[in-house]
């Protein structure tokens, strides 16, 4: 079967294929329950504040208290998820959320819930969500085959949108009949369901967590990986190029409903429902779309659809037309973000996956927050129509850039861990000792030198992604054919981790290619601080 370059020729994977895996299905349903509970809690918290002085500000602060921890704690949460057992971390966080929800229920039922305390407990919920998101995203590739990862990512988006539709509706009915406290109680039950599902999950191939990385070192290592990974940076830029103009729709849709379409709150809910239906359709269609067009064609089409929607919503006053236009916007929103999220999950090696996904969450959430602020200011100063037209034009321009700066082709990239033999030293350095300077001396014939230098560019990226703070390639002045690779790692522990699982098959292939272009095996030396350790012979003499 002949297909365009970048299009998969195999039979499309069903959007629901991951649900055939019992463990993933159980956890997905439990997470859906928790997501519904979270939306119920948000509605309940906002309802408690509507009769307070400065209610508009307090109600808005509920969203701020929920989302701010995600932006502030995503990177530390990613470091924790890569450092410790992710299942145990997720269970602990869900039990913490159950405790917060129970406290919220009891205090509300007894009439002891002032606004300040409510916002504080809401912030605590946000902290729990911030700790959950990167750990859960990093767990998904352990639950489903790689071929189903895009479908699993789309199902995650479907879960969010179903919860967004069901949670507020259920909360509204319960509040009208029995009050807010039972809503908070159901939220506690929802988190408990997710915790129990995690307890029942027994990973067959549990991720080996050896000596945990120090927290600050883990944070810096995650930042270095993203900074020195062109593929991850390209994916993050693509997400940002889409999210900033797309955020105009989410930020300004309430004003479109009230000012241009003359709709009340229920009408605004109808517009959100149209977006939600489109989002669910997008999740279902994503696997089929991936087999018909390339990833970059897909970005172009999705960007064009969303850009057209922005222009229509901002310039048309017909409710039916706007409702119809919102459907493809929902499709484009979920398919683009689910696709980028899945590509990042597929590319990131296991040791840094949660940290890389945390950076993606910061970029996506931060892009939405900044974009919403920018488009709100533009609308205040130039009007709603101008803001939507500008956002639409920017979205169309961003869609065109997908053809100029396309997504990288990651087919054939070997991401399996590559383990090297630990270096043999005459010393026994403490793992915390550092920095460590590693020198690798190559003998290279002049006729192979340029090819060798090109191969070492790939080695440089590998060293920097996996721990090197500095890297350089130098020529020995006393000879004509000796080149010395020098790189500095923060500690002996970091260097041992380079040997013990941070490197991938692609990194190994790059290093082997450079070695093939040199004569003989390279000479490797490790320079440690002078007081780093004592020789093994000295230890034996003293024993």
């Amino acid at each position: 079967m002949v297909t365009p370059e970048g299009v998969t020729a195999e039979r499309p994977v069903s959007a629901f294929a991951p649900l055939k895996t019992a463990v993933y299905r159980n956890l997905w349903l439990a997470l859906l329950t928790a997501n519904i509970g979270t939306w119920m809690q948000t509605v309940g918290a906002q309802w408690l504040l509507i009769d307070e002085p400065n209610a508009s500000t307090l109600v808005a602060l509920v969203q701020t208290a929920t989302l701010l921890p995600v932006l502030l704690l995503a990177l530390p949460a990613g470091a924790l998820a890569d450092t410790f057992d992710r299942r145990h971390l997720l269970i602990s966080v869900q039990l913490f959320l159950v405790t917060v929800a129970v406290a919220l229920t009891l205090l509300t039922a007894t009439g002891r819930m002032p606004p300040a305390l409510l916002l504080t407990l809401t912030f605590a919920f946000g902290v729990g969500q911030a700790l959950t998101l990167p750990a859960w995203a990093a767990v998904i590739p352990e639950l489903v085959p790689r071929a189903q990862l895009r479908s699993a990512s789309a199902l995650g988006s479907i879960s969010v949108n179903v919860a967004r539709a069901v949670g507020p509706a259920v909360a509204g009915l319960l509040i009208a009949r029995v009050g807010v406290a039972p809503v908070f109680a159901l939220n506690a039950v929802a988190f408990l369901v997710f915790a129990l599902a995690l307890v029942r999950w027994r990973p067959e191939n549990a991720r080996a967590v050896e000596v945990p990385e120090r927290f600050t070192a883990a944070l810096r290592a995650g930042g270095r990986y993203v900074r020195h990974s062109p593929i991850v940076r390209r994916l993050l830029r693509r997400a940002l190029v889409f999210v900033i103009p797309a955020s105009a729709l989410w930020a300004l849709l309430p004003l479109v409903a009230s000012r241009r379409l003359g709709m009340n709150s229920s009408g605004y809910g109808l517009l959100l429902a149209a977006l939600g239906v489109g989002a669910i359709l997008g999740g279902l269609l994503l696997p089929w779309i991936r087999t018909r067009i390339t990833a970059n064609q897909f970005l172009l089409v999705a960007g064009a659809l969303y850009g057209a929607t922005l222009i229509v919503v901002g310039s048309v006053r017909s409710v039916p037309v706007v409702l119809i236009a919102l459907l493809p916007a929902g499709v484009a929103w979920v398919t683009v973000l689910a696709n980028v999220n899945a590509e990042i999950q597929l590319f990131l090696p296991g040791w840094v996956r949660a940290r890389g996904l945390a950076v993606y969450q910061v970029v996506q959430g931060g892009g939405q927050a900044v974009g919403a602020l920018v488009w709100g200011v533009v609308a205040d100063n130039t009007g709603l129509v101008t803001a939507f037209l500008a956002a639409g034009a920017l979205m169309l321009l961003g869609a065109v850039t997908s053809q100029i700066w396309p997504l990288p082709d990651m087919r054939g990239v070997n991401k399996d861990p590559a383990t090297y033999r630990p270096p043999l030293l005459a010393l026994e350095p403490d793992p915390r000792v550092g920095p460590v300077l590693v020198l690798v001396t190559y003998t290279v014939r002049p006729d192979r030198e340029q090819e060798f230098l090109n191969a070492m560019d790939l080695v440089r990226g590998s060293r920097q992604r996996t721990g090197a703070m500095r890297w350089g390639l130098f020529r020995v002045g006393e000879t004509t054919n000796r080149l010395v690779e020098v790189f500095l790692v923060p500690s002996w522990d970091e260097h041992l981790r380079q040997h013990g699982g941070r490197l991938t098959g692609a990194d190994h292939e790059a290093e082997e290619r450079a070695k093939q272009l040199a004569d003989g095996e390279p000479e490797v030396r490790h320079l440690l601080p002078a007081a780093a350790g004592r020789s093994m012979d000295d230890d034996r003499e003293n024993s």
Side-chain angles (χ1 to χ4, degrees), residues 235-253:
L235 290 168
L236 293 176
R237 281 197 296 268
R238 286 259 52 102
L240 200 59
V241 165
F242 178 81
V243 162
I244 287 180
S247 63
L249 185 61
W250 297 97
L252 302 178
L253 194 60

Side-chain angles (χ1 to χ4, degrees), residues 31 43 77 208 218 281 302 322 397 406 428 480 542:
L31 183 62
V43 172
L281 286 175
V322 170
L397 179 62
E428 260 185 316
T480 59
N542 295 331

Side-chain angles (χ1 to χ4, degrees), residues 37-161:
T38 297
W39 278 100
M40 292 173 63
Q41 189 274 332
T42 299
V43 172
Q46 290 174 328
W47 191 261
L48 278 181
L49 297 171
I50 61 173
D51 293 325
E52 296 287 338
N54 303 315
S56 298
T57 301
L58 291 173
V59 169
L61 283 174
V62 171
Q63 287 291 335
T64 302
T66 302
L67 297 176
L68 186 60
V70 176
L71 295 179
L72 295 178
L73 301 177
L75 294 178
L80 287 174
D82 280 331
T83 303
F84 299 104
D85 184 279
R86 290 166 185 158
R87 173 175 169 269
H88 292 160
L89 177 63
L90 284 169
I91 292 171
S92 300
V93 172
Q94 303 320 302
L95 294 178
F96 164 74
L97 290 171
V98 170
T99 303
V100 175
V102 169
L104 190 60
T105 302
L106 295 176
L107 291 169
T108 301
T110 56
R112 299 176 182 177
M113 186 55 66
L117 181 57
L118 177 61
L119 292 173
T120 300
L121 292 175
T122 301
F123 186 86
F125 277 118
V127 170
Q129 293 298 313
L131 294 172
T132 297
L133 289 173
W136 170 248
V139 158
I140 292 175
E142 302 174 19
L143 301 175
V144 299
R146 286 178 64 87
Q148 297 179 7
L149 196 53
R150 293 186 180 90
S151 295
S153 182
L155 282 170
S157 299
I158 290 174
S159 171
V160 170
N161 284 280

